[in-house]
Amino acid sequence: MSEPGQPAQIRALDLSACAREPIHIPGSIQPHGVLFLLSASDHTVLQVSENTAAHLGVEPDQLLGRSLQEAMPGAEWSRLEEALAQPDPAAESPVRVIAVRKGARRSFDALLHRIEGALVLELEPVAEQDATEMTRFLRQVRVAIEELQAAETDAKLFAACASAVSRLTGFERVMVYRFDEDWNGEVVGEQLIGDADSYMGLHFPASDIPEQARALYARTPLRIIPDASYQPAPLRPELNPLTQRPLDLSNAALRSVSPVHLEYLRNMGVQASMSISLMRGERLWGLVACHHATARILPYAIRTACELVGRAMSVQISVQEETDRLRAQLEARSVQTRFYDIIAEENNFVEALVKYTPTLLEMVHANGAAILTGTRWTRLGETPGSAELDRILERIEPLAEDGVFRTDALSSIMPEAESFKAKASGLLFVSLSSAERNCILLFRPEVTSVIEWAGNPTKAVEEGTYRLHPRKSFAAWQQTVTGRSAPWRTEEIEAALELRNAFNASILQRTDRLLRLSTELERKNSDLNSFAYIAAHDLKEPVRGIHHYTSFVLEDYGQQLPEDGRQMLNTVQTLAVRIEELIGSLLHFSSVGRIKIATYPVPLDSIVDEALLMLKKRIEDEKVEIRRPATLPVAMCDRALTREVFVNLITNALKYNDKPERWIEIGSRDGAAAATADAAPAALLYVRDNGIGIREKHQQDVFAMFRRLHDRDKYGGGTGAGLAIVKTIVEKHGGEVSLESVFGEGTTFLFTLPQSAQP
Amino acid sequence: MNPNPPSATLRPLVLIEDNELDHRAIERGLQKLNVRNPVTHFHAGEEALDYIRNYKVSADHPETTPGLIILDLNLPDTHGREILAALKHHEEMRVIPVVVWSISSDPADIKLCYLDGANSYIQKTVSLEGTQELLQHITTYWLDLVSLPPVAPADA
């Protein structure tokens, strides 16, 4: 069969056997009371338990098809009739009914509930109770509730609960039994009377209380078996005549229980048992389980008192757990807040995590963490190595739901984790972003613990000859659990999830910061632009004044000046015009430097066409031959600015040429990719002339602003800004400029532009 | 009726310009071009704004309504665009063409002036010959070529 420490296989067996037993329709009741199914309309008996003679002195056949008054005229039914007339008779329970048997009056508690369109009436014999006894129960309940509320710790709460139920019932062993996540049970509180064996701290496998039993426990607050050796009293007829199916006895206090359960109780040496459901919201949290070595009947009044204690306990459990959760959450929050403050101050999320190690690990109570950004692991604390981290991620990533996965037994998922279980038995995985491969792995060390099982949990159910038998030995059976860490609490998982938010927030923050920087930069750029214009205009105004006034002087007094004087004034005007040109060029150069380029795939031939068109007159005037040997590539460039590059280079070539036969060649060269080491392939373009050439010592200078190699009036003037602008534009495109020249023979200006992917 | 008859009722030119240099240049220029329209000078922005605020077309002499306004953008006391806005929001003056006359080559300035309703934007040149040339273009276009909006009420 299964190996120790693998409860999953135990559950598999229980699913195949006990879990299939239809415990809500046993077709019989426990014989300490009688059960009737009454028609809803006239309350005639439709079905009845076969043990009526023992309690009421009437045979079942005398009852069937008749009303109770008809069958038992001597009894006092009036209060029962009233209750039956109510819309919810269950709320009226119990009703005191007195029957007469062999001349003796007997009191019964009548419990009512509706089911399957009919009424179930259960009669349980009671000893006559006086009012003072009821008051005593109520007082006990009140004291019990006070004790529960006063309990400061879980242990005290469980003990108080067990003690209260013990006082009310006198059961020898009263236990508070708590389910774990897998429905294994553990005795967490106990009150013993006499020399009953203690079950405190013992664990019970989930199969002990199979799923359908748990479902029934969640529906009904209390079950009792006064005598585990009872002979069940079958119902007559076997099926509910209204439905032709077995009667659903889920809500019947007398419901007969599974023979397997009775055997289980007898194996434990238990004759009478009672269980009270403890609920945490909708979920069955646990039970108050009561055992007695001998048969024990508890009147309905005491059971009701126990039920009240159970409900008070349920509330207290919820309150306590909520308080614990809030406290843990609060603690996590305060760590988180500190943590976020740190992250907010750091630019780099991972750096922030690493830098403040104790805080991250503190937050989720982990001993190690590994953060994956792209392909890089950043490790802190106690973690497996990088190669192991890769394998862990590979294994558990597909298991994650909503980007989260946790386990407290990593080696049960991937056997190789056995080798590093000391560091990483517990694993919490949180993916940080879905877009990129960013995640955090948090690790907890192995915590070796010893679990005491009530009997060998792997032998919870023994196969007998005809049917399954529960185990016969409940002697404490120790199991050493290895490869497990402390479990991850909900608050800790939530805190880890918050990391994801923090991560995304840090990205947003960084984006925001960049955005602000770029906005600021844009604003400064725009400020600078207007500053450049304003400065240019303020410079232009006086220059304009100089020029104009000189003109006025020449117009008004020109005749009175000697030729020499007029010449000088003309020179003043020429200089003023030169200053204005320089200011204009400077302004243009500075605006080109700040302009945002808008690049599109552009066939460069079309740009050269435009440039040549702009220079058409000058080309014709100077009789320069334009050579275009081959088609130019398509470049990713700003059309207007690239045109300016060609215009400036062609203008340059037009200017500096003293040959009788002048030509300019515009083309492209291969092998540009080699020129730029990285990035996209570049188009290498050139404008070549057979002009005057540039001496080698000047070749570095030509691209400098306002750098002129020749006297201003030679070669058609100009401000010396053209090549500087060319360089700026090309560099804005990520390209480079260069030149080849032989002095006296000609110059080739070369530049690169990013080539378009399009042909 | 011809809104701009060749004689007797020449529509005045309004020149809003603080610069003494431009006054001289424009006066000389107009003289050389033989433009005889009367010229109303404003040397400061506030002065011009007062004039605009209180302006009413004369019922008796509608022909005294200005035919063209030449506005410098850079005035010491008021920004030219404020005056442009005042002109273009004035019930009666808004129809009068405004030629902005400025040294600024800032594209932002140019765009804003057109947005505010300027009819032309002309950049000042450094040389007097340039100024003269511009003046000739302005007067030929605005005073001879185009039809200016009629000033008399339609039913008068």
Side-chain angles (χ1 to χ4, degrees), chain A residues 544 547-548 555-556 580, chain B residues 22 28 32 125-127 131:
Chain A
R544 188 165 168 264
H547 196 284
H548 274 57
E555 278 179 11
D556 296 353
E580 197 232 1
Chain B
D22 281 288
R28 276 176 192 246
K32 281 187 201 161
T125 59
V126 165
S127 71
T131 303

Side-chain angles (χ1 to χ4, degrees), chain A residues 529-530 533-534 536-538 540-541 543-549 551-553 555-556 573 576-577 580 587, chain B residues 19-22 24-25 28 32 72 74 101 103-109 123-129 131:
Chain A
N529 248 332
S530 16
Y533 280 111
I534 290 165
H537 304 152
D538 286 353
K540 262 195 216 172
E541 286 279 12
V543 176
R544 188 165 168 264
I546 292 167
H547 196 284
H548 274 57
Y549 277 109
S551 296
F552 295 157
V553 171
E555 278 179 11
D556 296 353
Q573 287 190 320
V577 170
E580 197 232 1
L587 186 58
Chain B
N19 193 336
E20 187 53 39
L21 177 73
D22 281 288
R24 279 184 189 241
R28 276 176 192 246
K32 281 187 201 161
D72 186 3
N74 304 322
W101 164 260
I103 197 141
S104 172
S105 59
D106 189 342
D109 278 342
Q123 277 178 48
K124 293 181 183 178
T125 59
V126 165
S127 71
L128 186 61
E129 294 88 336
T131 303

Side-chain angles (χ1 to χ4, degrees), chain A residues 346-363:
Chain A
E346 289 287 330
N347 263 326
N348 186 315
F349 179 78
V350 177
E351 233 167 63
L353 291 186
V354 178
K355 213 158 159 183
Y356 302 92
T357 309
T359 323
L360 166 67
L361 299 180
E362 216 177 282
M363 191 162 87

